[in-house]
Amino acid sequence: MRTARSLAVIGLSLAGASHGAQAQGVTAGQIVTREIVVAGKPTPLPPGEWSVAGVGAGSITTGDSESAYGLIWNVVLMRPTADGRAVDAMIELNVNDLGVSDGWGLPSNCARKDIHLARIRYKSGWDASCFFITHSHWDWRKTATPAWTDAVRHARSRGWTLPQASVTSGLRVANRRDVIDARFHFLPAFHGIAEPQGAAWSQSPWRMTHLAMDERRSGFARTLAAWTELTSGYMEAGLKRRLPATPLPNPGVDAQTPERDSLVKQRLAALERLRKAGRISQANFDEQARMLTENKRSSASSSVDPAAVAASKTITYPPLAAASNLFIDASWVGQPFTAGVLLLLQTAADGVKFYIHEWAWGSLVGGPHQRDDARALDFAHEAVDG
Amino acid sequence: MALKAARAALLLSLGLCAAATETTAFSVGDKVQSNLVIEGKQIPLPRGEWLVAGASVQEVKLVESGPQGAVRTVILAQILNGKLSALAEINANLIPVENGWGQSGACAKGDQFLLVTRYRSDWDLSCVFVVATALADASGPAAWTQARSVLSKANVVLPETALTAGFRASDRQDVVELRLHFNPALLSGVPSRDASVWTADSVKTRPAQRRAVETLSAWALGVDGWIDRGLGNEAAREPIEGPQRTAILSETPLTDRKLADLEALYNRGAIDVASLGKQEMAALSERPVLTKDAGGLSASVRKAVSYRFFSAAVDYVLAYAVTLGGPVSAGVAASIVTVHSIIFVVNDQLWDGYYAWTAKPDASRVIDFVHIGQTR
């Protein structure tokens, strides 16, 4: 059996050699527009000519995948300004090469409270879609990954000035097999917003607490939030290798493209087409349109965190147990003082032993078959964003 | 053994040289090959030419988390010397949804020859099953009525019963249910126009039929992953092999593909030898995490029992430390075990029920389509 598998693998290797060379799909120096396909998975790009500045192996910094994913491709793209003197936007992608069977987690940034926006569209142990907006500061003296090292060299060889700060839109889409993690870095200077020199991340005017008082910056952040939500739909479609025909717009422009319509409107239009084609009855259409209008895109589709369930149970159980102990101790011990001491000890121990037991069940007994809690899984990224 | 293995590798290599075509537009009467693309989803088919024999749209029974739009049904036929070799019955959604496609009656425990659930959660499902399907009458979707007419005009002889490998795969957005109905005579070598030989009890006592079921089951378990991949438009670049051909090639095509891909990465210098070794080991044991625990009384009772043992020991130690009396400590511990057991189960059930309600009121909804041999 083992021999047969070895030979079969050799056969597959020979036949699939050309595929192996194309798995990555991109090479440094390449110019791409509209989309970039990495390891077979397309990611939409805003308009313009994007230069593939660096390609290399990425790494996982938080969490881990115990599956055979081959490697994480780390790809850096840069879009130069029209005069070719600077970079006005950058993209960093992390994409798995081989599909796995056990899913991927969420980035820690999607759970942050100290950044402009963090939204989880859906999450479970096996799939996820989330996005966030924050600001990033860059120190080009040291780089986090080989792709960024190459990217810096690439930019300098072309005489492009690299930014000191950017506003970052981060998106993660994942299913049981694949993950695409994208960070779009936009330079405020090219949106008419001047940046103070040398400000630390925590002192940046883009800091969430400062934004409310800054109309221009908060306006750009709102624009970017709308664009990021739109892009999340593109990214989810890209994960299924069916990007919309309409290109992804730049933030704040192309307001009337069809994809800017809400998903609800698009679904209603699709239902209408089915009705007109006679594929669904009028009654069926009416009922589905009602559901769509009432439920909208809010899918209530995030799994419950087992830790939250355990915590809820832990909060309500001790008072109930303590009340019953009061009667039990009094009836068996008889002496009020001794019974009182025993009650205090039991009450103190109850919560601890209950939580330990719940945790042990969730982690050890239920763990392998009930891992429906969303994990945190981060890749190594360039820039300071927190 | 070595000869079979060498032949397997050779055939596999040769087979892969023929790249898959991808058919996106087709109509009844067309001849197509794998992969077929229906509503933006790849449908991997066994190698060979397939006749598009029927196509229709069926409405889906609505559930509150809808809308589900409608489902497209396509029936393909593979014909060999004027006889039906196999039918492919495909159901795929027309509109992507947000909340998944629920569970399927075909994936619930019943009288299938084989039923394996690869994974199941509130938002996705992958299962494979092997059953016998009656082809004798026109029960089924409109596409089947049309297909019967097309096949009749072409003088194609239908068996009374087919041996079916069914695959249901769904994620948050899409669903594909592929049922491949094989002429049992081609699998068992025994012509059979008698449906009664394909009952579960009958198959056990008939070696030829049992062998056919075993062959089809082994094949279905080897190719089910490709159906999942089609849902994400990443199906194999080559057609999947049929049951007879697979029997002499590899029963683990997905694992073989993963090992080959890892090897290709290593050969290109993308991963080092340590990573290759570690990932090869992982690839050999890679399985989807099966299912979300649905909870329920039995889980609570099991937890209550284990907790009681743990808790009683702690309670006895505490009581003894205070009273220094063995019988009194035993009495306190025993009383606590009894009363707390009741409180524990009630508390557990109430919170599990509450979170299940807030997370998804209809997580276990069943969404089924009309299939060949069935009426709604």
Side-chain angles (χ1 to χ4, degrees), chain A residues 20 70 240 242 288 312 369, chain B residues 69 172 174 268 279 291 306 355:
Chain A
K240 302 198 90 170
R242 52 184 191 202
Q288 296 204 51
S312 299
H369 301 292
Chain B
R172 285 188 191 258
D174 298 304
R268 287 161 44 205
Q279 296 203 57
T291 179
S306 76
Y355 277 105

Side-chain angles (χ1 to χ4, degrees), chain A residues 1 4-5 7-9 11-13 15 19-21 23-24 66-71 73 97-99 101-102 121-124 126-127 176-178 240-242 263 267 270-271 274 279-281 284 287-288 290-292 295 297 299-304 308-309 312-313 316-317 320-321 324-325 328-329 332-333 338 342 345-346 349-350 353-354 357-358 361 368-370 372, chain B residues 1 5-6 9 12-13 16 40-41 57 59 62-70 94-99 119 121 123-124 171-174 229 231-234 237 252 256-262 265 268 270-271 279 282-284 286-289 291-293 302-303 306-308 310-311 315 318-319 322-323 328 331-332 335-336 339-340 343-344 347-348 351-352 355 359:
Chain A
M1 182 65 199
R5 170 170 285 154
L7 286 166
V9 169
L12 281 163
S13 299
H19 162 70
Q24 174 189 336
E66 295 170 0
S67 303
Y69 56 80
L71 85 162
W73 288 109
D97 189 280
L98 303 181
S101 56
D102 197 20
R121 281 243 313 117
Y122 56 78
K123 61 167 180 157
S124 76
W126 303 287
D127 65 358
R176 285 194 185 251
R177 288 182 47 75
D178 297 311
K240 302 198 90 170
R241 294 149 178 86
R242 52 184 191 202
L263 196 73
R267 294 277 159 79
L271 285 173
L274 289 178
R279 289 176 163 182
I280 56 174
S281 65
N284 188 286
E287 182 63 9
Q288 296 204 51
R290 181 193 64 78
M291 289 174 178
L292 194 55
N295 294 344
R297 205 183 177 190
S299 57
S301 58
S302 293
S303 62
V304 176
V309 183
S312 299
K313 291 175 183 175
T316 53
Y317 181 77
L320 296 170
S324 66
N325 286 355
I328 292 168
D329 294 345
W332 277 98
V333 178
T338 311
L342 182 56
L345 285 173
Q346 287 166 335
D350 264 352
K353 67 189 181 190
F354 185 85
H357 183 260
E358 275 292 320
W361 259 84
H369 301 292
Q370 195 185 335
D372 54 342
Chain B
M1 179 66 190
L12 211 49
S13 304
L16 291 176
K41 296 167 281 289
V57 170
E59 290 185 357
L62 297 177
V63 293
E64 198 48 42
S65 63
Q68 271 77 35
L94 286 166
I95 298 178
V97 300
E98 292 281 303
N99 257 329
Y119 54 79
S121 77
W123 302 287
D124 61 4
D171 58 17
R172 285 188 191 258
Q173 295 89 23
D174 298 304
R229 291 187 182 199
L231 202 63
N233 288 302
E234 50 180 334
R237 292 167 293 280
T252 55
D256 294 342
R257 166 60 67 190
K258 177 62 92 55
L259 292 173
D261 285 343
L262 286 169
L265 284 173
R268 287 161 44 205
I271 55 175
Q279 296 203 57
L284 290 173
E286 212 169 66
R287 295 284 182 279
V289 173
T291 179
K292 177 182 186 296
D293 191 338
R302 280 185 286 125
K303 280 170 75 175
S306 76
Y307 181 72
R308 285 306 118 215
F310 173 59
S311 181
D315 288 333
L318 288 178
V322 173
T323 65
V328 172
V332 168
S335 301
I336 289 176
V339 175
H340 285 202
I343 296 173
F344 185 91
N347 187 58
D348 208 54
W351 278 114
D352 282 347
Y355 277 105

Side-chain angles (χ1 to χ4, degrees), chain B residues 43-350:
Chain B
I43 315 292
L45 296 169
R47 186 183 296 279
E49 196 171 70
W50 294 82
L51 170 71
V52 181
S56 64
V57 170
Q58 52 177 296
E59 290 185 357
V60 182
K61 183 183 159 195
L62 297 177
V63 293
E64 198 48 42
S65 63
Q68 271 77 35
V71 166
R72 190 168 184 199
T73 304
V74 177
I75 293 177
L76 312 172
Q78 203 168 45
I79 299 158
L80 189 68
N81 300 327
K83 290 186 178 175
L84 184 81
S85 170
L87 284 171
E89 180 187 7
I90 305 160
N91 283 294
N93 61 302
L94 286 166
I95 298 178
V97 300
E98 292 281 303
N99 257 329
W101 288 86
Q103 310 303 314
S104 164
C107 299
K109 202 171 178 182
D111 57 357
Q112 304 95 332
F113 297 126
L114 169 81
L115 172 64
V116 174
T117 302
R118 295 184 75 234
Y119 54 79
R120 183 182 70 233
S121 77
D122 291 348
W123 302 287
D124 61 4
L125 171 69
S126 174
C127 91
V128 54
F129 52 90
V130 173
V131 294
T133 302
L135 301 182
D137 61 39
S139 301
W144 176 227
T145 308
Q146 186 182 22
R148 284 175 63 85
S149 169
V150 168
L151 294 173
S152 172
K153 282 177 188 165
N155 297 317
V156 176
V157 180
L158 295 177
E160 286 193 6
T161 305
L163 201 50
T164 300
F167 308 88
R168 164 97 167 210
S170 64
D171 58 17
R172 285 188 191 258
Q173 295 89 23
D174 298 304
V175 63
V176 166
E177 189 159 335
L178 169 64
R179 294 189 178 196
L180 289 162
H181 308 282
F182 291 96
N183 187 334
L186 297 177
L187 290 170
S188 65
V190 180
S192 165
R193 297 191 63 80
D194 181 5
S196 66
V197 304
W198 291 105
T199 62
D201 289 338
S202 177
V203 163
K204 284 179 193 162
T205 60
R206 294 169 191 265
Q209 277 77 10
R210 195 175 67 228
R211 200 165 48 247
V213 168
E214 288 169 355
T215 300
L216 190 60
S217 299
W219 173 79
L221 288 172
V223 302
D224 58 352
W226 294 120
I227 314 302
D228 283 8
R229 291 187 182 199
L231 202 63
N233 288 302
E234 50 180 334
R237 292 167 293 280
E238 62 280 355
I240 55 178
E241 301 297 341
Q244 296 102 323
R245 196 169 151 87
T246 294
I248 58 163
L249 293 175
S250 168
E251 292 172 351
T252 55
L254 284 166
T255 306
D256 294 342
R257 166 60 67 190
K258 177 62 92 55
L259 292 173
D261 285 343
L262 286 169
E263 192 120 342
L265 284 173
Y266 172 71
N267 289 336
R268 287 161 44 205
I271 55 175
D272 59 22
V273 69
S275 177
L276 174 69
K278 185 182 165 195
Q279 296 203 57
E280 280 183 339
M281 291 302 292
L284 290 173
S285 58
E286 212 169 66
R287 295 284 182 279
V289 173
L290 190 61
T291 179
K292 177 182 186 296
D293 191 338
L297 189 62
S298 63
S300 291
V301 169
R302 280 185 286 125
K303 280 170 75 175
V305 169
S306 76
Y307 181 72
R308 285 306 118 215
F309 280 106
F310 173 59
S311 181
V314 176
D315 288 333
Y316 181 84
V317 169
L318 288 178
Y320 191 84
V322 173
T323 65
L324 299 177
V328 172
S329 301
V332 168
S335 301
I336 289 176
V337 165
T338 308
V339 175
H340 285 202
S341 293
I342 298 166
I343 296 173
F344 185 91
V345 172
V346 170
N347 187 58
D348 208 54
Q349 287 281 294
L350 285 175

Side-chain angles (χ1 to χ4, degrees), chain A residues 11-75:
Chain A
L12 281 163
S13 299
L14 291 171
S18 61
H19 162 70
Q22 292 167 3
Q24 174 189 336
V26 289
T27 50
Q30 188 181 347
I31 303 294
V32 289
T33 57
R34 291 187 61 152
E35 69 175 59
I36 181 169
V37 182
V38 179
K41 295 172 272 291
T43 301
L45 302 176
E49 291 193 342
W50 292 85
S51 180
V52 179
V55 179
S59 57
I60 296 173
T61 56
T62 306
D64 199 2
S65 172
E66 295 170 0
S67 303
Y69 56 80
L71 85 162
I72 302 296
W73 288 109
N74 182 229
V75 179

